[in-house]
Amino acid sequence: MSALSHSHLNSSTFVLTGVPGLEVYSLWLSIPFSSIYAMVFLGNCTVLHVIRTEPSLHQPMFYFLAMLSLTDLCMGLSTVYTVLGVLYGFMQDISLDFCIAQSYFIHGLSLMESSVLLAMAFDRYIAICNPLRYSSILTNDKIMKIGVAILCRSFSFISPAIIRLKFLNYCRPHILSHSFCLHQDLLRLACSDIRFNSIYALVLVIMNLLLDAVLIIISYIMILHTVLAIASREERMKSLQTCVSHICAVLVFYIPIIGLTMVHRFGKHLSPLVHVLMGNIYILFPPLMNPIIYSIKTYQIRRRVQRLFSLKAI
């Protein structure tokens, strides 16, 4: 066991891991990571600003997109300090309380993103399968209630497992696998009975992420059934085109989270670099890609963003 491991065995702090094997290049690596975070903040703030200032975008579909951008923005804010802190060299470790708080926000925001994507699938289902009742079903009042329900669902259900982390005994070397804190990473370092956390986390994944994914798939099966019944090929393509951005956002969210879960569950023999890479993809890829996807694939957003930047260029 290394001296570093010994020094943190009985400490209440945890060592953050940068990029294993590339520590000497940390300053160089900080450049692309800083650029990615800048793009995350700029992209999501731009989408939020466009939706807020453009009256024609004050529709249910874009309100849900604003929720998605706000979630992605918060995900970036929850990890930027530790990720860049490790790369720039002004942060090597983190206190247990800070670590638990960060894991609470990371996992809560992941559940929130899944819930928002489900709400967006419901929006597309109503718009295509029941267009005449769209405005009466998705009123501003109902959208606000959906937003509050998403917030409560995301951050209340996860609380018991996260709170219990405070009372576990961490007797293994306090070295984290990432430059941020995850629930499963802290469990790996605990010597206490972690059965409750493990079972609760599994149930939470099944009842939230897996259930949301199944409901999204069902909604698209029903959408496809409705679209195929449309006689005009042009109308079929037009209806499906409104779903492309959302389908891309779903894939961008679920593929990294499945990959990270597989690596944590079955990839103990893999290089630490793989764990770090998957962890960073999990927290950065969706917030980075969602504004790009919606700016390219959604005509109203693309047109307004182009107008916004053309005005600034004058």
Side-chain angles (χ1 to χ4, degrees):
M1 193 182 296
S2 67
L4 182 64
S5 300
H6 274 299
S7 65
H8 284 87
L9 264 173
N10 299 312
S11 169
S12 60
T13 61
F14 293 80
V15 177
L16 296 162
T17 299
V19 183
L22 299 175
E23 289 85 358
V24 293
Y25 301 109
S26 289
L27 274 178
W28 289 105
L29 289 170
S30 68
I31 297 172
F33 274 90
S34 297
S35 302
I36 290 169
Y37 272 107
M39 290 170 68
V40 166
F41 298 141
L42 177 63
N44 288 290
C45 285
T46 300
V47 171
L48 287 169
H49 174 73
V50 164
I51 293 171
R52 186 181 68 84
T53 57
E54 180 59 51
S56 65
L57 299 182
H58 293 176
Q59 303 171 31
M61 173 184 172
F62 297 106
Y63 289 144
F64 289 126
L65 176 56
M67 291 182 199
L68 186 68
S69 291
L70 186 61
T71 304
D72 287 337
L73 187 63
C74 291
M75 180 64 91
L77 290 170
S78 69
T79 58
V80 62
Y81 182 71
T82 55
V83 172
L84 294 186
V86 169
L87 292 174
Y88 281 110
F90 63 80
M91 190 172 192
Q92 281 79 41
D93 50 35
I94 185 172
S95 69
L96 177 61
D97 291 339
F98 193 138
C99 194
I100 290 172
Q102 188 180 51
S103 66
Y104 175 71
F105 283 107
I106 289 174
H107 293 295
L109 289 165
S110 289
L111 294 180
M112 189 169 173
E113 182 137 353
S114 177
S115 299
V116 172
L117 289 171
L118 175 60
M120 294 173 86
F122 176 69
D123 168 79
R124 290 299 83 209
Y125 166 74
I126 298 297
I128 293 172
C129 299
N130 204 348
L132 297 179
R133 295 188 60 206
Y134 180 70
S135 57
S136 62
I137 293 174
L138 288 174
T139 61
N140 288 349
D141 183 55
K142 285 179 182 174
I143 291 170
M144 191 175 295
K145 287 178 180 176
I146 290 171
V148 172
I150 287 172
L151 198 64
C152 294
R153 180 199 190 209
S154 304
F155 288 98
S156 60
F157 290 165
I158 200 172
S159 296
I162 298 296
I163 290 171
R164 197 165 184 278
L165 291 173
K166 176 70 176 173
F167 304 100
L168 297 179
N169 178 31
Y170 301 96
C171 62
R172 295 190 177 94
H174 292 189
I175 302 174
L176 300 170
S177 302
H178 308 283
S179 51
F180 48 87
C181 292
L182 295 175
H183 173 262
Q184 57 266 42
D185 213 8
L186 283 172
L187 289 188
R188 182 178 59 83
L189 307 179
C191 296
S192 308
D193 185 355
I194 60 169
R195 280 177 297 178
F196 170 80
N197 283 67
S198 298
I199 295 169
Y200 191 90
L202 180 62
V203 171
L204 203 62
V205 167
I206 292 170
M207 296 303 295
N208 285 267
L209 298 178
L210 187 60
L211 179 62
D212 289 354
V214 169
L215 291 175
I216 289 170
I217 291 169
I218 291 171
S219 71
Y220 272 105
I221 290 171
M222 297 172 76
I223 287 170
L224 195 61
H225 181 265
T226 301
V227 169
L228 291 175
I230 300 172
S232 167
R233 183 178 182 276
E234 188 178 328
E235 286 298 315
R236 287 202 299 268
M237 294 305 295
K238 188 178 177 182
S239 297
L240 288 174
Q241 192 66 32
T242 64
C243 301
V244 170
S245 300
H246 179 253
I247 292 169
C248 291
V250 169
L251 294 174
V252 157
F253 173 72
Y254 277 100
I255 290 174
I257 209 167
I258 291 169
L260 182 66
T261 303
M262 293 297 104
V263 165
H264 271 281
R265 290 282 179 184
F266 309 111
K268 292 179 175 62
H269 62 285
L270 294 173
S271 164
L273 187 60
V274 176
H275 288 258
V276 169
L277 181 63
M278 287 306 304
N280 284 305
I281 290 173
Y282 161 64
I283 62 162
L284 288 174
F285 195 59
L288 174 67
M289 292 306 298
N290 284 335
I292 297 172
I293 290 167
Y294 277 93
S295 296
I296 293 173
K297 291 293 184 181
T298 308
Y299 172 73
Q300 299 96 315
I301 295 286
R302 184 174 70 248
R303 185 186 61 182
R304 188 66 180 83
V305 168
Q306 287 172 342
R307 194 190 312 166
L308 177 68
F309 282 100
S310 63
L311 284 173
K312 286 185 176 181
I314 295 173

